[in-house]
Amino acid sequence: MKKKWMSTLMIPVLALGLAACSSDKAGSNEDKTEKGNQSVGESVDYKIIGIDPGAGIMKATEAAVKEYELNDWDVVEGSGAAMTATLKKAYAKKEPIIITGWTPHWKFSKFDLKYLEDPKGVYGGEENINTIARLGLAEDHPSAYKFLNQFHWTADEMADVMVKITDGEDPEKAAKAWVEANADKVAKWTEGVEKANGEKITLGYVAWDSEIASTNVIATVLSDLGYKVTLRQIEAGPLWAGVADGSLDASVAAWLPVTHADYYEKFDGKFEDLGPNMEGTKIGLVVPSYMEIDSIEDLKK
Ligand code: PBE
């Protein structure tokens, strides 16, 4: 993946500025015709709007660029928040945009979007989000371990929390409200779990909207159980390394078997995999439904 910092940002801004000046003179009809003849690549400046470089979806997108021979294309690094901000702007103007996208994510409830078909299967199929823990957590903090092992929810339940956070609610508050409103569910997660006595638990997460929601929910339950919980927001690589070296107790942010396959392999044997906390997740390239393309293959046209 090419890293282009200021240059990637400045060139399109300048180009747009020039285009705006010339179209003023040339008249808007001509401008529209030109747009109509553009290829998909030209219309988005051969850019796929990515997220943080450590995300599995970035590596998958690099692989997709190779597999589909998208030779002129760049995957732009940024963050989950920058990606959704760019999407929001483009969507408001009905402009073409291609993003790295995943489910569950609130963007599908706020915008009309579609996944591009992936006939080569680069992004894998449906997968799961797993909970991972450091070795020894079961012995050191059996209650936390038992709860984390029993933690399991659905994409719809996560969406309740995620959408509230997107609408401006503080993540901790949104999580607390969800835990209060879903006492039956939480009772299942904590069945047979003994109360703690102020012991410390450190959870790692990456600033992906899905993980901000899930991590705040489990943090709420752990503090209700009597733990002193610290949340550490880091990149995906350091997160896996942290669980493997024991500096983090656990994380509910392991997308498997495909998205985080390389991290799983790298640290295999140095962490405990507690299995899925959610099934049926997905990653891929996502575009607004108003775009005419349907497949990653169409990006070559
Ligand atoms: N995501 C969200 C992550 C996993 C969770 C799809 C952006 C990733 O690609 O690593």
Side-chain angles (χ1 to χ4, degrees):
M1 202 176 315
K2 286 180 212 157
K3 279 189 193 166
K4 294 185 181 175
W5 298 108
M6 284 311 279
S7 58
T8 27
L9 296 170
M10 292 311 288
I11 292 166
V13 169
L14 286 175
L16 281 175
L18 291 173
C21 291
S22 61
S23 75
D24 276 343
K25 282 173 205 153
S28 57
N29 281 346
E30 199 173 317
D31 197 48
K32 264 180 201 154
T33 323
E34 273 170 19
K35 262 193 187 164
N37 292 337
Q38 270 183 341
S39 68
V40 191
E42 282 168 344
S43 76
V44 296
D45 206 14
Y46 295 94
K47 285 188 171 54
I48 294 168
I49 307 302
I51 55 168
D52 39 293
I57 200 171
M58 292 297 276
K59 280 163 220 162
T61 304
E62 244 182 293
V65 165
K66 278 204 196 103
E67 286 278 319
Y68 289 93
E69 294 172 18
L70 304 173
N71 305 325
D72 306 325
W73 288 73
D74 278 322
V75 184
V76 182
E77 289 178 1
S79 66
M83 179 273 286
T84 48
T86 310
L87 171 65
K88 199 172 178 181
K89 266 189 218 152
Y91 196 90
K93 294 189 216 150
K94 281 226 158 184
E95 281 170 0
I97 180 168
I98 302 170
I99 59 166
T100 55
W102 64 97
T103 312
H105 194 285
W106 58 264
K107 58 186 173 275
F108 290 97
S109 65
K110 300 277 179 190
F111 310 110
D112 196 357
L113 304 172
K114 61 185 176 189
Y115 276 97
L116 292 181
E117 284 157 29
D118 172 23
K120 293 183 196 280
V122 176
Y123 289 96
E126 281 201 351
E127 56 177 356
N128 305 317
I129 310 178
N130 284 24
T131 301
I132 54 172
R134 70 166 170 89
L135 297 180
L137 184 70
E139 292 78 42
D140 298 341
H141 300 297
S143 290
Y145 179 89
K146 191 171 167 72
F147 155 63
L148 288 168
N149 210 9
Q150 292 176 170
F151 167 64
H152 185 277
W153 62 346
T154 65
D156 285 344
E157 288 166 328
M158 179 192 271
D160 288 346
V161 185
M162 197 166 27
V163 170
K164 273 195 191 150
I165 298 170
T166 308
D167 289 343
E169 201 163 315
D170 170 67
E172 203 182 319
K173 271 191 197 150
K176 277 192 179 142
W178 191 92
V179 166
E180 262 171 44
N182 292 272
D184 291 356
K185 183 92 195 189
V186 175
K188 279 190 197 141
W189 299 342
T190 53
E191 208 176 299
V193 176
E194 277 170 36
K195 291 265 177 189
N197 224 337
E199 290 100 327
K200 287 182 188 151
I201 288 284
T202 307
L203 302 172
Y205 73 106
V206 187
W208 302 314
D209 292 303
S210 35
E211 277 54 35
I212 293 172
S214 56
T215 307
N216 274 280
V217 165
I218 60 159
T220 301
V221 177
L222 283 166
S223 16
D224 289 351
L225 282 169
Y227 283 96
K228 199 170 171 295
V229 185
T230 306
L231 296 191
R232 205 161 286 157
Q233 188 207 305
I234 43 178
E235 298 284 312
L239 181 140
W240 279 83
V243 175
D245 71 18
S247 56
L248 296 173
D249 288 306
S251 176
V252 289
W255 283 50
L256 295 164
V258 177
T259 306
H260 293 160
D262 52 349
Y263 292 129
Y264 198 100
E265 219 169 280
K266 185 171 175 191
F267 298 109
D268 202 10
K270 297 189 177 133
F271 65 93
E272 193 177 340
D273 180 2
L274 305 188
N277 58 61
M278 181 186 294
E279 282 92 15
T281 62
K282 184 175 162 68
I283 65 168
L285 291 185
V286 169
V287 301
S289 299
Y290 55 71
M291 283 181 75
E292 275 165 21
I293 51 169
D294 293 307
S295 166
I296 303 176
E297 300 261 344
D298 297 337
L299 300 185
K300 269 190 287 192
K301 290 178 193 160

